[in-house]
Amino acid sequence: MKTLLINIKELLQVRETSVEMVSGAAMAILPKLENAFLMIENNLILDYGNMENCPNHNDKNVIDVSGKIVLPTWVDSHTHIVYAGNRVQEFVDRINGLSYEEIASRGGGILNSAKKLNATSEEEIYNQSKIRLEEVISQGTGAVEIKSGYGLTVEGELKMLRVIKKLKENYPIAIKATFLGAHAFPEQYKENHAAYIDLIINEILPKIAEEHLADYIDAFLETGYFSVDETKKIMLAGNKYGLKAKIHVNQFTAINGIKACVENEALSVDHLELVTDDDIAILKNSKTMPVALPSCSYFISIPYTPARKMIDAGLPLALATDFNPGTTPSGNMNFVVAAACIKMKMTPEEAINAATINGAYAMGISKTHGSITKGMRANILITKPLNSFYQIPYEFTSNLIESVMIEGQFIK
Ligand code: NIG
Ligand code: FE
């Protein structure tokens, strides 16, 4: 089946051949075609070009999108969409003056979500999570990475990863699963970190590998959570099962964790609210993608990733939501793009590159997702009529997305 979009006001992120990532000054360039057509066959992009070269329309499903902008769907490379219940009380506690760290030290935070998750059935977790997944798809996300990490027990982690597997089977968008057993130390292991790491490496990981439940491995490398050495052990163990690392690092403190991640060839390092000059030097010339999560900074009032400094130093940067019950109960990539422009001083061109091509790199799908390229997945957004794509971050709470196509099918 062929679908032809005609009279596209601006077709954004058009790339002749797929690009692995965009870095530094290249991030400011967002290639586009004006007055364009886009032809889709089944689930793939077949062709595109200027309207004067548009093929004849006879046997195709033709859609006139005059005045509208078309771009690839967002790629959200960092989420925790699978969880049980919520943490609204912690939200109110923070308003009343407690910090994220103080709440966590009182048994709230990740351990609070773990308690809820372990007390909830797999079916119920699936039902709660699919509502969030459907919401983000309707907001324009066409690929998403989802982490475990609220189980922190053999059964809990497997349960989460099975829910992610079921979401993969039941929804058309690309989903990658990341094992985050090293998210926090459960209460009974507070004084015995080695025993919990042993459980992760020698009990949970082999079961996950046996059931092929994870694509990547993650750890929360942070003061009070997993040390550099503990994270190295987790990364090495993951590598043995072919799981590349995507690590939470430099959220609250900078403790040389990025160096360890780069040395272990992590696919991405995520959060980076604090970034030192040494971190930038280490990331330079590495294959590790830095990932910023501005809605987390917004929600818990912590610094924003110093995007300008990083991009001006020649680094690439990806943007993701971090959708989770504690620090970011939102999976809206439009807001992420807007916050990156408004708070991190990324240009709209840079932010869109970061939320598409670089996001695709950070979840290992840049050959199929992230740009308008012949042969890539037909995952596109069609906006309402707009004067310019700058309106997408400018009107930062408006829903400017009129339709979302995933794998060649309109879902909205
Ligand atoms: O990415 N920082 C670690 N993990 C999550 C938050 C986890 C939680 O509070 O539930 C994050 O922000
Ligand atoms: Fe996270």
Side-chain angles (χ1 to χ4, degrees):
M1 224 271 280
K2 283 186 185 163
T3 305
L4 178 64
L5 303 187
I6 58 167
N7 299 323
I8 302 169
K9 184 184 166 87
E10 288 182 340
L11 181 61
L12 304 184
Q13 197 58 294
V14 176
R15 308 264 176 178
E16 200 55 26
T17 50
S18 76
V19 172
E20 225 190 6
M21 63 162 91
V22 274
S23 311
M27 285 194 69
I29 300 161
L30 182 66
K32 65 174 182 179
L33 280 180
E34 286 173 14
N35 194 24
F37 76 88
L38 177 65
M39 174 112 72
I40 283 145
E41 184 171 38
N42 301 323
N43 65 334
L44 299 178
I45 294 169
L46 183 65
D47 201 6
Y48 58 81
N50 290 111
M51 272 312 286
E52 55 261 36
N53 302 320
C54 186
N56 83 42
H57 308 167
N58 296 344
D59 56 333
K60 291 141 205 128
N61 178 18
V62 178
I63 304 168
D64 188 337
V65 294
S66 296
K68 300 172 187 177
I69 289 168
V70 173
L71 65 156
T73 49
W74 307 125
V75 179
D76 189 353
S77 67
H78 180 140
T79 83
H80 311 246
I81 278 179
V82 170
Y83 58 83
N86 63 42
R87 305 224 301 267
V88 282
Q89 186 54 48
E90 294 180 11
F91 169 63
V92 177
D93 291 344
R94 258 195 319 277
I95 294 168
N96 286 317
L98 291 184
S99 68
Y100 181 80
E101 289 97 324
E102 283 164 342
I103 290 167
S105 69
R106 295 173 183 204
I110 295 164
L111 296 186
N112 182 1
S113 283
K115 205 180 289 167
K116 290 185 165 75
L117 186 124
N118 282 297
T120 309
S121 72
E122 187 172 317
E123 193 187 354
E124 176 58 21
I125 297 165
Y126 177 82
N127 288 336
Q128 292 183 16
S129 305
K130 78 172 190 179
I131 294 170
R132 291 185 279 270
L133 186 66
E134 286 170 12
E135 183 189 32
V136 303
I137 296 171
S138 75
Q139 291 166 342
T141 294
V144 66
E145 179 259 18
I146 310 176
K147 300 172 193 297
S148 70
Y150 291 126
L152 312 181
T153 57
V154 180
E155 307 72 38
E157 288 297 308
L158 289 171
K159 186 159 74 172
M160 286 189 79
L161 289 164
R162 287 185 189 126
V163 168
I164 301 172
K165 186 177 178 195
K166 209 156 139 199
L167 292 170
K168 276 191 193 188
E169 288 162 1
N170 293 347
Y171 287 86
I173 74 167
I175 296 178
K176 293 286 181 189
T178 298
F179 171 48
L180 177 55
H183 201 186
F185 286 96
E187 205 52 55
Q188 67 270 36
Y189 293 101
K190 277 256 137 71
E191 304 305 325
N192 190 357
H193 284 193
Y196 185 58
I197 290 169
D198 183 62
L199 181 82
I200 292 176
I201 294 176
N202 297 316
E203 284 200 48
I204 314 183
L205 246 181
K207 289 203 172 71
I208 288 171
E210 201 180 295
E211 287 189 46
H212 302 288
L213 288 173
D215 303 294
Y216 299 109
I217 191 158
D218 194 347
F220 188 12
L221 197 175
E222 185 56 69
T223 307
Y225 292 82
F226 289 77
S227 69
V228 174
D229 282 342
E230 288 165 347
T231 305
K232 276 187 193 166
K233 288 193 180 113
I234 302 286
M235 288 192 283
L236 272 177
N239 286 348
K240 289 204 179 108
Y241 290 99
L243 307 182
K244 278 194 142 226
K246 288 169 63 64
I247 303 292
H248 283 74
V249 64
N250 287 40
Q251 183 176 9
F252 301 111
T253 57
I255 52 173
N256 287 324
I258 290 177
K259 182 166 180 274
C261 297
V262 168
E263 282 169 0
N264 279 272
E265 296 177 351
L267 180 61
S268 70
V269 282
D270 302 37
H271 270 289
L272 316 177
E273 284 84 347
L274 297 177
V275 179
T276 67
D277 291 345
D278 283 352
D279 292 331
I280 290 178
I282 287 157
L283 283 166
K284 199 86 194 280
N285 304 319
S286 81
K287 299 283 275 174
T288 301
M289 176 65 70
V291 181
L293 310 165
S295 21
C296 172
S297 300
Y298 175 81
F299 188 72
I300 61 167
S301 304
I302 58 174
Y304 288 83
T305 300
R308 271 285 40 97
K309 192 172 168 191
M310 297 167 77
I311 296 171
D312 293 346
L315 291 183
L317 189 65
L319 289 166
T321 64
D322 199 20
F323 197 169
N324 77 76
T327 67
T328 325
S330 159
N332 191 325
M333 282 294 286
N334 306 287
F335 177 78
V336 164
V337 167
C341 296
I342 298 161
K343 294 292 184 184
M344 292 158 62
K345 303 289 177 229
M346 290 173 73
T347 64
E349 290 86 350
E350 288 172 334
I352 292 174
N353 275 322
T356 54
I357 288 184
N358 285 355
Y361 181 90
M363 62 181 281
I365 57 167
S366 46
K367 287 200 166 61
T368 50
H369 293 74
S371 63
I372 304 291
T373 301
K374 288 179 197 172
M376 301 238 309
R377 297 307 163 89
N379 281 15
I380 57 161
L381 303 180
I382 304 175
T383 68
K384 294 174 181 164
L386 300 180
N387 291 326
S388 140
F389 73 86
Y390 290 166
Q391 265 173 274
I392 299 172
Y394 169 73
E395 291 179 28
F396 71 99
T397 60
S398 299
N399 180 9
L400 300 178
I401 292 167
E402 190 171 84
S403 6
V404 179
M405 176 187 272
I406 305 287
E407 301 269 338
Q409 303 281 332
F410 281 109
I411 58 99
K412 181 190 168 195

